[in-house]
Amino acid sequence: MTLEWIFYFAAAIAFVASVKVVTGENAIHALLYLVVSLLAVAMCFYLLGAPFAAGLEVIVYAGAILVLFVFAVMMFDLQGDRQPAVFQQSWSATWLGPVALTFTLAILLTYILLNGTFDKGIEPGIVGAKQVGIALYGPYLLAVEIASFLLLAGLIAGYHFAKYSTQGEHR
Amino acid sequence: MIDIAITHVFLISALLFCVGFIGVLARRNTLFMLMSLEVMLNAVGLAFVGAGSLWQQADGQIMFILILTLAAAEVAIGLALLIRMQHQRHNVDVDGLSKLRG
């Protein structure tokens, strides 16, 4: 019984941290809230019986991708909201439209989910790293190859775009 | 591992997705838009892992791993573009990109 409450508690932490990410002013603070959100979701993964996904979430997402974010923000001064005065809008003008639209979407999703005939509980059981590995290098081998191509393309594009070039740059 | 209705997992996932979506729509700072995209991808991953846990199959976690790969590549390219943008324009405002020429 208590494990369920831990799950909902972690989900609430993830929600609050995500809201703080979206509404944050300081980039570094928002990134740290994002780390909190990812760790809370990793907790949810673990409680759902997916310890391998939880470990990947902590190691790869919070440990590698977010560290990349923090390095880029700190080294290249990608900080905050120094917006030009032209783009300064009032609070309501910025947030009213998106929040109204997305709130409608959320209500629709909630309605569909709550009225669906799909009310099965999650069976107790753990899908471990062994099963995932067997499936990953069995029927999903082509997907792994395509993912490696995606990573290679990301590497090349990142190198090309971030490369400091002295020629042909006019500000 | 525990007994949770799958509907609740999907509801949490939908809520997180909506929060990230609001961020992408409302923020004009490209860095915050990237972070909101991370929140959205994470929410989708939660839905996949919940579904995989529902059927006790590994496919959900495999889809999560593929989403992780996608997020890594997206962040690498996005941050490289942000660095270039900061270098050329000295801000990361996405509205300024509407004046691109050539």
Side-chain angles (χ1 to χ4, degrees):
Chain A
M1 189 60 203
T2 50
L3 279 177
E4 280 86 350
W5 286 109
I6 292 176
F7 177 83
Y8 290 119
F9 198 59
I13 289 175
F15 180 73
V16 172
S18 300
V19 169
K20 294 289 280 184
V21 169
V22 166
T23 59
E25 292 291 324
N26 188 322
I28 294 292
H29 293 175
L31 278 172
L32 294 180
Y33 275 119
L34 187 53
V35 172
V36 172
S37 168
L38 293 177
L39 291 181
V41 172
M43 187 79 195
C44 291
F45 285 173
Y46 186 74
L47 290 175
L48 283 174
F52 187 56
L56 278 184
E57 176 100 0
V58 173
I59 294 170
V60 178
Y61 236 125
I65 298 180
L66 263 296
V67 168
L68 183 68
F69 256 112
V70 172
F71 271 159
V73 168
M74 283 186 170
M75 289 181 68
F76 294 96
D77 192 26
L78 298 177
Q79 276 286 353
D81 270 349
R82 287 188 300 251
Q83 290 185 347
V86 195
F87 296 125
Q88 287 284 5
Q89 289 173 317
S90 67
W91 185 89
S92 59
T94 311
W95 291 97
L96 190 63
V99 169
L101 285 175
T102 316
F103 193 64
T104 317
L105 181 67
I107 286 177
L108 288 177
L109 278 172
T110 311
Y111 180 77
I112 291 171
L113 284 175
L114 288 184
N115 285 289
T117 54
F118 201 70
D119 220 8
K120 195 163 168 265
I122 288 179
E123 296 167 24
I126 294 175
V127 182
K130 187 179 177 183
Q131 275 174 275
V132 177
I134 289 173
L136 199 59
Y137 287 98
Y140 284 97
L141 191 58
L142 187 64
V144 174
E145 296 290 339
I146 294 173
S148 73
F149 269 108
L150 182 71
L151 282 177
L152 180 65
L155 176 69
I156 294 173
Y159 174 71
H160 175 72
F161 284 133
K163 189 173 57 177
Y164 179 73
S165 67
T166 51
Q167 45 163 4
E169 294 245 350
H170 43 85
R171 301 185 169 179
Chain B
M1 199 168 175
I2 49 173
D3 190 24
I4 299 174
I6 189 65
T7 313
H8 293 175
V9 180
F10 285 155
L11 274 180
I12 291 162
S13 165
L15 272 180
L16 282 177
F17 187 87
C18 287
V19 169
F21 192 51
I22 289 175
V24 174
L25 286 179
R27 295 305 292 254
R28 296 271 65 89
N29 186 335
T30 316
L31 180 69
F32 281 87
M33 290 174 77
L34 266 182
M35 283 194 261
S36 307
L37 272 179
E38 292 303 309
V39 173
M40 287 169 73
L41 286 175
N42 205 29
V44 176
L46 179 61
F48 270 119
V49 170
S53 168
L54 174 70
W55 300 111
Q56 289 293 304
Q57 295 292 324
D59 305 73
Q61 294 188 51
I62 285 171
M63 286 310 292
F64 172 71
I65 291 172
L66 294 181
I67 288 174
L68 206 67
T69 318
L70 173 73
E74 174 237 333
V75 162
I77 298 177
L79 281 177
L81 284 172
L82 273 184
I83 289 167
R84 175 57 68 92
M85 198 169 154
Q86 172 82 12
H87 185 232
Q88 287 191 354
R89 298 169 176 267
H90 302 290
N91 63 23
V92 285
D93 198 338
V94 78
D95 283 334
L97 290 182
S98 62
K99 296 185 181 63
L100 284 179
R101 56 187 195 287

